[in-house]
Amino acid sequence: MIFFVGAGPGAPDLITVRGQRLLQTADLILYAGSLVNPELLSYAKKTCTIFNSASMTLEEVVAAMLHAEREGKQTVRLHTGDPSIYGAIREQMDALDRYGISYEVVPGVSSFCGAAAALRAEYTLPGVSQTVILTRMAGRTPVPETEEIAGLAAHQATMVIFLSTGMLPALTQRLLAGGYSPDTPAALVYKATWEDEKTVRCTVQRLAQAAQEHAITKTALVLIGHFLGNDYERSCLYHPAFSHEFRDASEGKV
Ligand code: SAH
């Protein structure tokens, strides 16, 4: 059996209980070495074979899984954050389907959740934004034209931008072109939940400068939007005048 497991954003105790148990019983662990915290590997049993997939191709990863599978072993494919986001798991799952091998996916805490926690922020503030856009700048992996940053920025929703810390001047230019004002609140979160985590609050205009001042070049998320500001409306859910399934407005006390 093969398990694609989300390792969480960095802190080793932010993996799920299920993910940790699978690491403890795995015979083979293939981990995405560039971002998975190696401390997680200490959960592995002594006899476990461990490969860092950073230097492997898809074909080599699949071959290692097939080999383990033929020997009746249990494999954990450990991906950073949640595997569904920029995890390149679909191509692995499709390859396993072709061989008729079954697998399961165990979700993880994505770095965008770790980043909000680091900033003590809420992405979906009433009266500010009720939408979170997770995206990236085009790099060697292209981004469909319909998802170009300026077009997404036009929504003025909360934006979380992955894989783009090396392109901040271009990112700022696209955000401004999309209609964000230069003083829109922005933040950089470097290695959210790791011991060397850094958070930097700035504005859209100052993103590149802020990154330079704090020596942030990679492993960071760029957050954009007024959810980083101070104004919002209180929630209906906890408002005394608001009835719902579990509470009658007449019983509400301020
Ligand atoms: N599946 C992962 C994302 C992998 S893409 C997830 O759910 O988080 C890799 C990018 O994610 C990095 O370039 C960076 O932009 C971001 N990232 C991953 N871990 C991070 C962390 N702990 N803090 C900040 N950004 C992180």
Side-chain angles (χ1 to χ4, degrees):
M1 187 69 183
I2 292 166
F3 296 90
F4 292 91
V5 175
D13 55 351
L14 282 178
I15 192 169
T16 62
V17 173
R18 188 184 298 182
Q20 181 185 354
R21 284 192 187 133
L22 288 167
L23 282 179
Q24 286 163 339
T25 54
D27 303 299
L28 170 65
I29 297 174
L30 291 155
Y31 72 104
S34 53
L35 285 171
V36 167
N37 191 332
E39 279 183 45
L40 282 167
L41 303 173
S42 65
Y43 293 131
K45 57 187 185 187
K46 279 206 182 74
T47 52
C48 181
T49 305
I50 300 177
F51 290 140
N52 178 350
S53 65
S55 59
M56 296 165 79
T57 61
L58 169 64
E59 287 71 14
E60 288 167 340
V61 166
V62 172
M65 288 173 171
L66 288 180
H67 182 73
E69 198 62 14
R70 283 195 194 112
E71 297 195 335
K73 293 187 167 162
Q74 186 201 300
T75 298
V76 166
R77 175 70 172 115
L78 193 59
H79 282 276
T80 179
D82 183 82
S84 70
I85 298 172
Y86 305 116
I89 57 164
R90 175 65 188 269
E91 59 193 23
Q92 299 173 63
M93 295 190 292
D94 283 350
L96 295 176
D97 283 341
R98 285 196 286 276
Y99 290 102
I101 292 172
S102 54
Y103 49 83
E104 267 177 37
V105 182
V106 179
V109 177
S110 177
S111 59
F112 81 90
C113 302
L119 287 165
R120 295 163 185 82
E122 178 175 350
Y123 288 136
T124 53
L125 282 179
V128 177
S129 175
Q130 292 289 287
T131 304
V132 185
I133 296 174
L134 307 180
T135 189
R136 62 170 296 170
M137 291 279 278
R140 267 184 291 181
T141 304
V143 171
E145 231 172 81
T146 48
E147 296 173 15
E148 208 277 312
I149 296 281
L152 299 178
H155 294 282
Q156 304 272 306
T158 295
M159 289 182 84
V160 179
I161 304 164
F162 288 75
L163 295 159
S164 304
T165 326
M167 299 174 249
L168 292 175
L171 173 64
T172 293
Q173 193 266 328
R174 298 318 297 151
L175 290 166
L176 296 176
Y180 275 115
S181 65
D183 61 352
T184 304
L188 292 157
V189 181
Y190 169 78
K191 291 185 86 176
T193 81
W194 290 70
E195 273 178 13
D196 48 350
E197 167 189 288
K198 281 189 226 175
T199 60
V200 182
R201 288 173 183 265
C202 59
T203 58
V204 166
Q205 194 169 34
R206 289 197 66 255
L207 271 170
Q209 198 184 333
Q212 203 173 12
E213 281 165 14
H214 293 86
I216 298 174
T217 55
K218 57 176 188 171
T219 326
L221 290 170
V222 183
L223 313 181
I224 310 291
H226 289 284
F227 76 98
L228 291 164
N230 297 321
D231 298 329
Y232 63 95
E233 290 163 14
R234 71 172 282 180
S235 71
C236 291
L237 191 60
Y238 294 104
H239 198 288
F242 186 80
S243 292
H244 59 71
E245 194 183 345
F246 302 107
R247 199 187 63 234
D248 195 328
S250 61
E251 294 170 12
K253 292 187 181 65
V254 182

